[in-house]
């Protein structure tokens, strides 16, 4: 069996090899730090030489569209070392009967903790304070007044694995919690003492809003989360509230976001993800070899404006990145691959 691992570091490669050592004789490994998507497919194919891989393991920087799947005629297994799977064309996978696995629940606390790092950074102006003392040498708190979290209301959008931790952490800060979810967990709400409301009600009444829903393209039945926060509802957000996004960039309409920040209606934006974030990672590569028509260039430009705004903190999709979470990610990916080899099914199939 030939397996290609993309976006993998050397220590991860060593760990994977050591953990699948009992099957080593059957497995031929290929490891690369590079991502794979249709923009760099030709380059990857030149590097791998033989494209007859039985399995591919990726992370969130890779985008598996039909063109990528078609480039590997032997492919039987695709695993992603992530909780989100919106970077995979699930229809194309299904059509070719390729099994797919993911890593649910590796970093529920990990991502929720990061959301609070962003919240506190904005509510207490930590970055501005740090920048002032480190870069300007000024030990002065003028203009750095923030606000308490205690007694404020947080709106948690999506109370799945990560959202539930966000609720628990918020309660630890003494915050009131409102939540919105298409499948409310009333038992959890009663346990933690919060209530579910409509999205509009949450937007109107929260001082901080934290997004924890998966990304799904919008459907005719309106079930998707594409631009869940958009030009029609962003003005419903309480004036001066903070919006936090550790989920996926395209859950927020960048155009509406930049306008709301520019007009001072939104108090701040803290995000670990960007709409079109795949482009920003390597803009030179994208400009020279990328598929410009397949991307929204206005959004790409708006991202730069967003990043430069003073009340905005953007981190490079780093919320997952703790030693403990990475270990859980690798162990689950290995379980998915082993289970496929032994039983023909991944342990955690993409739902
Ligand atoms: P989960 O599947 O446990 O929970 C998602 C919740 O959202 C569920 O309760 C579901 O009912 C709700 N939901 C789904 N669609 C909805 C809709 N249209 N409207 C309202 N509620 C809806 O997912 P989990 O593990 O909590 O992860 C959430 C997302 O966080 C992932 O899908 C991923 O995109 C993102 N994530 C980001 C990471 C990062 O490094 N920045 C790391 C891990 C996950």
């Amino acid at each position: 069996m030939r397996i290609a691992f993309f976006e993998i570091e050397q220590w991860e490669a060593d760990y994977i090899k050591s953990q699948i050592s009992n099957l080593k004789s059957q497995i031929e490994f290929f490891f690369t730090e590079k991502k794979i998507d249709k923009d760099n497919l030709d380059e990857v194919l030149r590097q791998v030489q033989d494209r007859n891989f039985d399995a591919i393991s990726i992370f969130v920087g890779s985008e598996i569209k039909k063109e990528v799947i078609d480039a590997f005629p032997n492919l039987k297994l695709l695993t992603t070392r992530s909780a989100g799977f919106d970077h995979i064309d699930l229809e194309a996978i299904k059509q070719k009967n390729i099994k797919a696995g993911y890593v649910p629940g590796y970093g529920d606390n990990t991502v929720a903790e990061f959301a609070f790092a962003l919240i506190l950074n904005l509510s207490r102006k930590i970055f501005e304070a740090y920048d002032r003392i480190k870069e300007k040498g000024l030990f002065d708190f003028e203009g750095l007044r923030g606000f308490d979290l205690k007694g404020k209301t947080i709106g948690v959008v999506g109370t799945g694995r990560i959202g539930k931790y966000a609720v628990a952490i918020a309660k630890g800060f003494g915050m009131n919690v409102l939540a919105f979810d298409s499948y409310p967990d009333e038992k959890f709400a009663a346990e933690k003492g919060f209530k579910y409301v409509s999205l509009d009600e949450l937007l109107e009444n929260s001082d901080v809003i934290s997004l924890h829903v998966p990304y799904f393209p919008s459907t005719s039945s309106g079930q998707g989360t594409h631009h869940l926060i958009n030009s029609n509802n962003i003005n419903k957000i309480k004036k001066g509230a903070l919006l936090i996004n550790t989920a996926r960039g395209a859950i927020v309409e960048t155009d509406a976001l930049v306008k709301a920040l520019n007009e001072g209606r939104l108090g701040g934006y803290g995000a670990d993800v960007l709409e079109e974030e795949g482009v920003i990672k390597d803009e030179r590569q994208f400009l020279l070899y990328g598929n410009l028509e397949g991307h929204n260039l206005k959004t790409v430009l708006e991202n730069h404006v967003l990043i430069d705004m003073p009340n905005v903190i953007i981190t490079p999709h780093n919320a997952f990145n703790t030693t403990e979470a990475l270990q859980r990610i690798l162990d689950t990916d290995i379980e998915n691959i082993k289970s496929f080899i032994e039983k023909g099914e991944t342990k955690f199939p993409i739902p």
Side-chain angles (χ1 to χ4, degrees):
M1 181 167 186
R2 296 184 75 232
I3 309 183
F5 290 83
F6 291 89
E7 302 175 85
I8 207 96
E9 294 176 24
Q10 187 57 51
W11 71 271
E12 294 176 302
D14 295 341
Y15 182 74
I16 289 166
K17 275 197 269 186
S18 75
Q19 293 302 301
I20 327 190
S21 54
N22 54 333
L23 305 164
K24 223 184 208 162
S25 56
Q26 291 167 255
I27 298 184
E28 202 183 305
F29 295 99
F30 171 83
F31 296 104
T32 175
E33 290 195 354
K34 289 205 169 103
K35 63 169 184 173
I36 180 167
D37 59 23
K38 64 179 181 194
D39 291 337
N40 80 339
L41 186 59
D42 291 342
E43 189 193 340
V44 166
L45 291 176
R46 273 196 303 278
Q47 196 191 351
V48 300
Q49 290 166 353
D50 179 355
R51 55 173 77 185
N52 281 326
F53 287 112
D54 303 284
I56 286 179
S57 167
I58 55 161
F59 192 51
V60 289
S62 295
E63 205 177 354
I64 305 298
K65 297 266 184 237
K66 191 175 177 307
E67 294 88 328
V68 177
I69 294 161
D70 289 344
F72 298 98
N74 254 4
L75 198 62
K76 300 170 197 70
L77 170 68
L78 177 77
T79 63
T80 180
R81 303 186 301 281
S82 59
F85 41 82
D86 49 288
H87 51 307
I88 299 172
D89 182 342
L90 295 177
E91 200 44 50
I93 294 277
K94 217 158 107 193
Q95 269 172 18
K96 294 221 157 169
N97 206 18
I98 293 166
K99 302 285 179 192
Y102 79 132
V103 186
Y106 69 81
D108 309 342
N109 65 298
T110 312
V111 178
E113 285 171 22
F114 197 89
F116 272 82
L118 293 174
I119 294 170
L120 286 165
N121 240 303
L122 290 168
S123 66
R124 303 306 303 272
K125 303 190 194 295
I126 300 293
F127 181 76
E128 281 166 83
Y130 168 86
D131 187 56
R132 176 175 300 181
I133 197 161
K134 187 109 176 171
E135 297 301 323
K136 304 189 185 84
L138 274 176
F139 196 86
D140 179 1
F141 60 72
E142 169 89 34
L144 294 179
R145 186 158 306 142
F147 65 86
D148 281 1
L149 292 185
K150 184 169 180 234
K152 296 291 185 313
T153 299
I154 185 169
V156 177
V157 179
T159 53
R161 297 181 196 91
I162 297 169
K164 282 196 168 76
Y165 266 95
V167 169
I169 296 172
K171 284 285 173 186
F173 275 100
M175 299 184 84
N176 307 312
V177 177
L178 293 175
F180 168 69
D181 196 297
S182 38
Y183 296 95
D185 184 342
E186 295 294 355
K187 190 165 165 265
F188 178 70
E191 227 171 75
K192 292 285 174 198
F194 72 90
K195 65 173 183 167
Y196 283 98
V197 293
S198 68
L199 181 59
D200 281 359
E201 211 177 318
L202 182 149
L203 299 180
E204 284 157 12
N205 292 293
S206 303
D207 303 291
V208 179
I209 297 157
S210 194
L211 305 175
H212 300 289
V213 286
Y215 177 80
F216 288 118
S218 293
T219 59
S220 49
S221 60
Q223 282 304 301
T225 54
H226 178 79
H227 291 177
L228 187 69
I229 306 297
N230 54 55
S231 54
N232 294 323
N233 65 11
I234 203 159
N235 292 342
K236 293 185 175 155
I237 294 178
K238 199 175 182 178
K239 190 164 187 311
L242 304 180
L243 180 61
I244 306 297
N245 186 3
T246 52
R248 285 294 181 265
I251 293 170
V252 179
E253 185 182 355
T254 310
D255 200 43
L257 175 68
V258 171
K259 282 186 187 134
L261 284 162
N262 193 47
E263 290 163 13
R265 282 182 279 118
L266 207 55
Y269 185 62
D272 187 44
V273 284
L274 285 170
E275 196 170 11
E276 293 287 2
E277 70 182 34
V279 171
I280 208 164
K281 213 165 184 175
D282 195 342
E283 285 183 338
R284 188 191 301 185
Q285 171 87 13
F286 171 69
L287 274 175
L288 293 175
Y289 310 108
N291 160 30
L292 270 61
E293 296 75 40
H295 295 272
N296 187 335
L297 297 182
K298 187 176 178 206
T299 302
V300 174
L301 188 60
E302 281 170 336
N303 281 340
H304 287 281
V305 173
L306 187 65
I307 289 165
D308 284 342
M309 288 178 151
N311 47 348
V312 170
I313 294 184
I314 307 289
T315 51
H317 207 136
N318 191 43
F320 74 95
N321 198 3
T322 66
T323 308
E324 296 81 1
L326 272 178
Q327 191 62 53
R328 290 191 288 267
I329 287 177
L330 283 183
D331 287 336
T332 309
D333 196 48
I334 289 164
E335 279 186 78
N336 270 335
I337 293 167
K338 274 188 172 173
S339 166
F340 174 79
I341 293 170
E342 284 158 11
K343 301 177 193 146
E345 293 287 348
T346 57
K347 180 151 183 207
F348 299 101
I350 293 181

